[in-house]
Amino acid sequence: MTREALLNTAIMALLAAVPIIAHFTGNPFTITLATKVAILAMAAVGLNIVLGLGGLVSFGHAVFFGIGGYSMGILAHHAQLFIPIMEAPFLIDGTKSMPIIWLVAVITSALVALVIGALAIRTSGVYFIMITLAFGQMFYYFAISWPAYGGEDGLPIYVRNSFPGLNTLDPIQFFAITYVALGAALFLSARLARSRFGLALGATRQNAERVETVGVDAYRLRLVAFVISGAITGFAGALFADLNRFVAPTMFSWQMSGEFIVFIILGGIGRLFGPVVGAGLFILLEHFLGGVSDYWLIYVGAILLAVVLFARGGLIGALAGREVAHD
Amino acid sequence: MTDPILRTKGLTKSFGALKACNDVSLDLFPGEIHALIGPNGAGKSTLIKQIAGNMAPDSGEVWFDGSDVTHLDTVGRARRGLGRTFQISSLAMEYTVLQNVVLGALGRDGGVMRFFKPVMKDKRLLEEAHAALDRVGLTEQAATRTADLSHGQRRQLEVAVALTLKPKAFLMDEPMAGLGVEGSRNLTGFLDTLRHEAPILLVEHDMDAVFALADRISVLVYGEIIATGTGDEIRANRDVRTAYLGEEDVA
């Protein structure tokens, strides 16, 4: 086992241990914090595929997070009011079932990622950042100005959605769902990085000309990566909405996109567990420093600066050393 | 007579008032090395880019392996079997040497949309990759990070990646650039054998290598081909002597 694999195992174990201990000591708030870490980490794991592996700095991943959130919100809203989403040409009812909501969230965010990606990936560098940001803002203002689903006020969902065989209202059981989802996203992302696709995508980050010279279309690789990435972040968005039992336009905001990027930089760009460590640290700081000062983000800024200047591989890089080229 | 693998017909490209490429027609036949020489600024890079598909000509055509590829991009031409090496090494620097050649083998294989199986355990790709490394003499460096290679080794790796593509023709832009005397001699020997596998259009500044290798030489000056012929013919050509080689170079 490499040092990084050991570290990753320890992180995963810690993320499970904290809420389990909290469960037995009767501390549900800590479980909620751990759940939040798992969900936000998953969103950033999705982003890390395009940002870390593909080298595309998407400043609009909140779009997919929000799409996931509103997929949950809209479906559950209709279910709790017993109003069908549409009646003609065929009947579509709302639902409170998590698996169906996740499926809708994943498919919708993948489709939106396909459209945004098809346009944005034609550009690169700063233009790519700007165009993804612009899409993010478009969705944000659209959500604000669409009164049917709460507009600016957001959309409350009164009872958490259901999962067959589990009581999702029990914090530790809901945590288990998000933990497994995060684990699955990490597993997929690890396999993807080592696959044929991953090798070629990683090469486009380093040298797109090289990839095209061996007859592989870099645009297609990036677009497919963007779709996979958006789908994972969308899934996380649906879970996040279920955690809060509330959906609001802020899920689409550029601050949200920025936070995902911050998680990745803190943890280590392109490192499998970078987003997990980054999200964990961010939530811890928010929790502890947020109590000390309203301006706690200043400290996050200082830490971010230190990481960028002194630990280019992020926390994972600082603890596990430079990335080993695989195999 | 056999058909050429690669042929350009009247390629013309202007940048404003400057004609970087003026009615260039050249061809590459199976089994030969056709060298393209010319002083700096003669338009060699512009020509190479048009042949490889990086740049669209204002007029003229590029034919490859019996079909018109003028409107294909780099990817399309690479897929048809045009193996290119760059003047300045163009490699994935963070990857190992082996990963770079596996990428080449993957490009040739085509099945890049596979997301689950580890590529570095794919026996067939690894076999092809190792074979290519073996041929250029980089077997021992397989696990080295590409950024840690010497300049000469990067040149070798560049050729190895082109080999994994099993191309129908090679387009090599100054493969000897920056190589020492010995490296240059080794590569010359290697290219000499390679021509029987696929013909090579060779852009090169190293005149010893050009005259040792080329079956035919074309001389490009101010975007125009002023002469094409065997080494001896080019040496004897008066226009070439004044325009390019310089009297003192001609032995």
Side-chain angles (χ1 to χ4, degrees), chain A residues 265-286:
Chain A
I265 295 174
L266 282 178
I269 297 171
R271 307 302 279 262
L272 182 61
F273 272 69
V276 184
V277 177
L281 183 67
F282 191 89
I283 298 300
L284 281 181
L285 289 172
E286 182 183 37

Side-chain angles (χ1 to χ4, degrees), chain B residues 18-237:
Chain B
L18 174 75
K19 277 207 165 165
C21 195
N22 191 8
D23 195 24
V24 172
S25 298
L26 58 78
D27 42 28
L28 179 68
F29 288 95
E32 76 166 344
I33 293 181
H34 187 160
L36 185 68
I37 61 173
N40 286 327
K44 297 188 297 288
S45 299
T46 310
L47 180 58
I48 286 279
K49 281 181 186 162
Q50 291 173 89
I51 294 173
N54 298 98
M55 191 185 272
D58 295 337
S59 64
E61 293 171 0
V62 180
W63 285 69
F64 185 70
D65 196 24
S67 53
D68 184 355
V69 296
T70 316
H71 300 290
L72 285 183
D73 60 4
T74 357
V75 175
R77 292 183 203 193
R79 281 218 186 110
R80 298 218 171 191
L82 185 62
R84 182 186 185 191
T85 70
F86 293 87
Q87 184 181 354
I88 298 162
S89 296
S90 186
L91 298 158
M93 299 305 268
E94 295 166 33
Y95 279 172
T96 62
V97 167
L98 185 60
Q99 283 175 313
N100 266 289
V101 262
V102 166
L103 180 67
L106 177 58
R108 145 121 182 131
D109 184 82
V112 73
M113 290 298 164
R114 292 188 208 158
F115 305 93
F116 217 64
K117 276 196 186 154
V119 63
M120 299 309 284
K121 289 189 176 130
D122 190 315
K123 281 209 179 90
R124 195 159 41 86
L125 295 185
L126 282 179
E127 236 166 65
E128 284 171 27
H130 279 296
L133 286 183
D134 201 30
R135 289 188 62 187
V136 300
L138 277 180
T139 304
E140 284 178 17
Q141 280 76 28
T144 309
R145 208 162 163 263
T146 305
D148 298 334
L149 288 185
S150 71
H151 176 81
Q153 290 171 324
R154 288 182 199 173
R155 310 297 311 175
Q156 287 170 286
L157 177 54
E158 184 114 343
V159 174
V161 177
L163 284 177
T164 59
L165 298 173
K166 300 203 173 72
K168 296 197 179 82
F170 288 99
L171 182 60
M172 296 192 173
D173 196 356
E174 298 196 27
M176 318 278 175
L179 291 186
V181 179
E182 198 189 342
S184 205
R185 197 183 303 133
N186 288 343
L187 189 56
T188 305
F190 180 68
L191 295 186
D192 201 17
T193 60
L194 192 59
R195 80 177 89 194
H196 303 295
E197 214 164 295
I200 305 171
L201 183 64
L202 178 71
V203 177
E204 189 49 67
H205 268 306
D206 180 339
M207 287 304 138
D208 291 338
V210 166
F211 283 102
L213 284 171
D215 299 290
R216 288 188 303 151
I217 299 172
S218 288
V219 183
L220 195 68
V221 177
Y222 294 123
E224 283 183 66
I225 290 188
I226 59 165
T228 297
T230 63
D232 291 338
E233 285 166 4
I234 293 298
R235 273 202 191 90
N237 187 304

Side-chain angles (χ1 to χ4, degrees), chain A residues 41-83:
Chain A
M42 182 180 174
V45 166
L47 175 60
N48 206 18
I49 292 174
V50 281
L51 197 155
L53 195 57
L56 298 168
V57 182
S58 166
F59 204 168
H61 254 55
V63 168
F64 313 118
F65 199 60
I67 295 267
Y70 273 86
S71 300
M72 174 284 196
I74 292 171
L75 287 168
H77 174 74
H78 284 275
Q80 71 188 2
L81 296 179
F82 300 103
I83 308 167

Side-chain angles (χ1 to χ4, degrees), chain A residues 203-270:
Chain A
T204 65
R205 178 191 71 235
Q206 301 166 49
N207 188 341
E209 186 181 51
R210 166 45 60 207
V211 178
E212 308 218 307
T213 308
V214 301
V216 177
D217 189 344
Y219 176 82
R220 268 186 65 206
L221 286 172
R222 287 172 172 155
L223 184 56
V224 171
F226 200 74
V227 170
I228 296 173
S229 162
I232 294 176
T233 304
F235 194 146
L239 291 173
F240 192 70
D242 240 324
L243 171 67
N244 301 325
R245 277 168 270 179
F246 179 67
V247 194
T250 48
M251 279 184 83
F252 281 118
S253 68
W254 66 267
Q255 288 93 334
M256 199 78 238
S257 300
E259 274 182 27
F260 297 154
I261 298 178
V262 169
F263 299 162
I264 292 178
I265 295 174
L266 282 178
I269 297 171

